[in-house]
Amino acid sequence: MRYRGLAVFLFLLAGYTLTYSGVFHSDDEMSVAAVAQNLVQRGAVTIDQLRWNQDLSAGIGKYGLDGHLYAKYGWGASAAALPFYLAAMILPPLGNVQAVMLLNALVTALSG
């Protein structure tokens, strides 16, 4: 009984990890990864590297008064992804995008 929650977590984590693609499926995912990247590299929450996508979709973000592009959403998910991004910097074969995308599997498994 005591380990049932852990068993459910590990089962879900294994399932999500085995089926995740490691690629972006939405602008929101790109935005989370971009903010995480900029937090590590520049200490900023901008997503200027995604300006190319601003006019292609319904708008991936909003321009600030300073002219920089900012995500439509808060940066909490990006902050949670920082350990994954930093791990990818230490283990380059992991890849930044693939590492950040693992956050979704962990959060979903924890919610189970």
Side-chain angles (χ1 to χ4, degrees), residues 16-101:
Y16 291 126
T17 303
L18 290 172
T19 59
Y20 104 112
S21 64
V23 298
F24 296 130
H25 296 289
S26 71
D27 290 344
D28 298 341
E29 292 172 340
M30 280 194 292
S31 181
V32 167
V35 172
Q37 177 185 27
N38 281 339
L39 279 170
V40 170
Q41 294 180 352
R42 296 177 189 83
V45 293
T46 60
I47 57 169
D48 289 329
Q49 67 268 46
L50 298 178
R51 284 178 182 258
W52 62 271
N53 195 22
Q54 179 66 10
D55 296 328
L56 294 177
S57 62
I60 195 167
K62 303 278 184 196
Y63 287 102
L65 296 175
D66 59 0
H68 290 286
L69 184 61
Y70 293 89
K72 292 189 279 189
Y73 310 106
W75 48 272
S78 299
L82 287 178
F84 295 92
Y85 188 89
L86 293 170
M89 292 179 69
I90 295 168
L91 303 166
L94 182 57
N96 295 338
V97 170
Q98 291 74 23
V100 170
M101 297 302 292

